[in-house]
Amino acid sequence: MAPYQSMEEYNISVTNEVKDRFSKIIDEIGEDVKRDGLLKTPERAAKAMLFLTQGYKQDAAEILKGAMFKEDYDDMVIIKDIEVYSLCEHHMLPFFGKAHVAYIPNGHIVGLSKIPRIVDVFARRLQVQERLTHDILECLNNTLKPKGVAVVIEASHMCMMMRGVQKQNSVTTTSGFRGQFEKIETRNEFLKLISSDLS
Ligand SMILES: [Zn+2]
């Protein structure tokens, strides 16, 4: 899996529009857009922004459908510690952390690398952590139709750390459970497995 592969193609007119706006922002905050170090900054910032929001152009359900296999395995499948990098929709500042995803197959399994990919598809949009959790949960539930799905995300928010309340060490945890994970014993087994360091 290569989560940081660069975008193959940037739409030139969109990139130029975003670039011009970044140039204006840099000017408005009192910087000199013509100074050496900043000459290519609007273009770099535009490409970075388009990369970080490329999830709008991607279809998570299609990615899953492309790698579903018939299989009788019906124990819990857990992918833990998936790196998450997203942008909060309130400040457009990063929030980042880890996602833990589990499902109990119901006749189909999905290629393991697809789970981190769909996390990226939803993370690379303007998000709130609650909706990101829910998007991943519902996509897996509706596409794979498993016996159960669980998603837990633990993340730090730059908008809290760098500004506002300046709480550097607070981590926000969100979770969602469907199907068999709504049963307390299944949910507890999952929570125990993701909090252990055995791997
Ligand atoms: Zn924020």
Side-chain angles (χ1 to χ4, degrees):
M1 186 190 54
Y4 304 114
Q5 63 205 153
S6 61
M7 259 168 95
E8 293 303 321
E9 283 169 23
Y10 288 92
N11 178 310
I12 292 171
S13 72
V14 175
T15 309
N16 282 336
E17 273 292 319
V18 179
K19 174 181 133 186
D20 289 346
R21 280 150 211 247
F22 270 118
S23 185
K24 184 93 169 77
I25 292 169
I26 294 167
D27 181 55
E28 291 288 347
I29 61 174
E31 258 290 0
D32 173 11
V33 279
K34 299 275 187 292
R35 105 177 143 72
D36 238 23
L38 293 178
L39 278 180
K40 295 202 78 180
T41 298
E43 185 182 337
R44 286 192 208 99
K47 286 183 172 172
M49 183 53 68
L50 294 173
F51 180 86
L52 296 174
T53 55
Q54 64 183 286
Y56 291 114
K57 296 198 179 71
Q58 297 168 337
D59 186 332
E62 285 306 312
I63 291 171
L64 286 182
K65 283 179 196 159
M68 280 170 56
F69 310 101
K70 259 189 156 31
E71 189 63 61
D72 286 335
Y73 186 85
D74 62 357
D75 283 319
M76 196 184 294
V77 178
I78 303 181
I79 303 96
K80 67 177 207 175
D81 296 335
I82 302 166
E83 286 176 66
V84 174
Y85 297 95
S86 190
L87 290 173
C88 90
E89 69 181 18
H90 302 129
H91 306 93
M92 295 175 72
L93 286 170
F95 66 94
F96 58 94
K98 284 174 175 174
H100 314 289
V101 177
Y103 72 97
I104 299 168
N106 187 17
H108 287 89
I109 56 166
V110 66
L112 289 179
S113 68
K114 302 304 173 197
I115 307 273
R117 273 199 67 198
I118 67 156
V119 169
D120 274 347
V121 168
F122 292 116
R124 287 174 178 162
R125 301 176 184 193
L126 301 185
Q127 276 288 10
V128 293
Q129 189 178 327
E130 294 86 343
R131 192 175 63 239
L132 176 59
T133 307
H134 192 255
D135 284 347
I136 298 164
L137 187 77
E138 290 304 326
C139 179
L140 277 164
N141 202 39
N142 297 336
T143 310
L144 197 56
K145 304 195 191 314
K147 290 178 184 161
V149 198
V151 177
V152 170
I153 299 180
E154 307 166 286
S156 301
H157 292 248
M158 293 309 278
C159 60
M160 279 177 76
M161 296 165 79
M162 293 179 72
R163 55 165 294 290
V165 291
Q166 296 186 15
K167 293 289 183 222
Q168 264 81 18
N169 297 312
S170 69
V171 172
T172 305
T173 303
T174 47
S175 60
F177 305 96
R178 290 286 182 277
Q180 291 189 4
F181 287 97
E182 290 170 65
K183 287 191 297 188
I184 193 79
E185 57 271 34
T186 313
R187 184 188 309 191
N188 283 347
E189 186 190 341
F190 164 68
L191 294 173
K192 202 174 123 196
L193 287 166
I194 62 169
S195 52
S196 74
D197 280 320
L198 294 172
S199 54

